[in-house]
Amino acid sequence: MEQSLLKSDVISLLKNKIQLIKTSENGGIYLVGPIRLPVNLSGETVVFQWYCWLEREQVTENIEEIIGKLSSTNLSEYQQSSVLVYGDFKNNEDALIRMHSICHTGDIFGSKRCDCGFQLKKSMQMIKNHGTGALFYLANHEGRGIGLFSKAMAYVLQESGYDTVEANLNLGFVDDSRNYEDAISVLKTLRTKPVTLITNNPKKQDALKKSGMLLLGRTPLWGDESEYNANYLKTKVSRSGHLKEEESCPND
Ligand SMILES: [Zn+2]
């Protein structure tokens, strides 16, 4: 589309729904939303507010320029992250949040090799039941940051007895290369009051604490154990420092 052909109402509609979050001198994050998103949650229709974001090294506040650049960028080749918000997220005193790492096999196919699909649906339900919260769906976190194809190779090694950590290390990756900075920038834009984090992973707690975000506490999320993911879950506790359900969180 020619930039000059963009109608003024298109520009003003988008202007109201796009925020620019500066993260460095020239770079930043475009945050689009809120967009009404009714979701089928275990048979019940629940309305979330949905936001999507895009990190860029060079950002502008000029909507025409943003649109002009997007149409020439092949965004479908990359995944973008997004967040589902429930309730009065900005103002309510107590909000539950989940930083969910994308898992193609678990979230989409319902794979029983991990507990991701269960955790995704469960945390959405917990947020809805709590009344206020947000689920961040982090698209560059596949396989703890190694990507889907590498995760498939790691699964090949796991079928021969390597655990999750050993498999990643043998493929030349660090065990966990996930980064939460962009998600935390978005979180801080949507809410400045303290949050309660749904996680078993102390690294996620640390990332939030380091960012200056106030944490009220942590809500654990275990379940859906089966013969297929028993080793995976055991490795999370013994090798990756995840906290078992009965252990109390030092931040609680
Ligand atoms: Zn998974």
Side-chain angles (χ1 to χ4, degrees):
M1 194 189 292
E2 289 287 325
Q3 288 189 19
S4 56
L5 292 179
L6 281 174
K7 290 182 192 153
S8 62
D9 62 330
V10 169
I11 291 168
S12 66
L13 280 172
L14 290 170
K15 211 170 216 161
N16 288 330
K17 291 281 188 172
I18 298 182
Q19 290 183 68
L20 174 59
I21 307 166
K22 292 282 283 181
T23 52
S24 64
E25 199 181 326
N26 299 314
I29 294 166
Y30 298 122
L31 180 66
V32 178
I35 297 155
R36 197 180 131 86
L37 200 73
V39 169
N40 180 343
L41 209 54
S42 309
E44 184 193 0
T45 302
V46 177
V47 179
F48 287 87
Q49 299 298 324
W50 181 58
Y51 298 80
C52 188
W53 74 84
L54 181 69
E55 194 269 333
R56 302 270 90 174
E57 279 175 17
Q58 292 277 340
V59 288
T60 170
E61 291 195 49
N62 185 321
I63 300 288
E64 285 177 81
E65 222 177 288
I66 295 170
I67 296 169
K69 276 190 187 145
L70 287 188
S71 53
S72 60
T73 312
N74 198 358
L75 285 184
S76 63
E77 290 291 336
Y78 313 93
Q79 296 259 26
Q80 281 87 59
S81 295
S82 76
V83 55
L84 282 177
V85 171
Y86 189 74
D88 188 352
F89 190 60
K90 184 170 186 248
N91 297 307
N92 280 356
E93 288 305 319
D94 189 9
L96 274 183
I97 65 160
R98 165 98 185 139
M99 295 281 175
H100 189 84
S101 298
I102 188 173
C103 178
H104 187 115
T105 45
D107 298 339
I108 298 172
F109 298 143
S111 162
K112 303 282 283 181
R113 289 186 71 122
C114 58
D115 56 348
C116 303
F118 167 83
Q119 289 189 321
L120 174 64
K121 277 289 151 75
K122 179 79 180 173
S123 50
M124 285 169 72
Q125 194 71 57
M126 286 165 76
I127 286 166
K128 189 255 163 189
N129 293 346
H130 187 73
T132 308
L135 180 126
F136 290 78
Y137 194 76
L138 306 173
N140 56 352
H141 279 195
E142 182 68 66
R144 303 186 191 189
I146 71 176
L148 187 60
F149 186 77
S150 309
K151 185 171 99 171
M153 294 201 290
Y155 273 8
V156 170
L157 297 183
Q158 285 173 41
E159 290 195 322
S160 300
Y162 290 81
D163 71 28
T164 323
V165 176
E166 287 166 350
N168 283 8
L169 296 177
N170 274 285
L171 291 171
F173 295 105
V174 295
D175 168 41
D176 191 337
S177 60
R178 289 175 291 184
N179 178 303
Y180 300 93
E181 275 176 28
D182 289 352
I184 289 171
S185 296
V186 171
L187 168 60
K188 285 179 163 175
T189 304
L190 298 175
R191 178 180 175 89
T192 51
K193 294 189 173 192
V195 292
T196 298
L197 187 61
I198 305 172
T199 191
N200 304 320
N201 185 353
K203 283 181 192 161
K204 290 186 180 174
Q205 272 182 300
D206 292 345
L208 269 187
K209 274 191 256 174
K210 268 189 207 135
S211 78
M213 194 80 200
L214 290 170
L215 264 185
L216 282 178
R218 178 182 75 89
T219 301
L221 184 61
W222 293 100
D224 198 35
E225 284 185 48
S226 70
E227 60 184 295
Y228 309 106
N229 64 16
N231 278 334
Y232 165 82
L233 294 175
K234 212 169 72 195
T235 303
K236 268 189 170 179
V237 174
S238 64
R239 304 286 306 269
S240 301
H242 284 225
L243 303 162
K244 277 204 68 132
E245 195 165 5
E246 59 268 27
E247 286 174 2
S248 65
C249 162
N251 201 52
D252 280 345

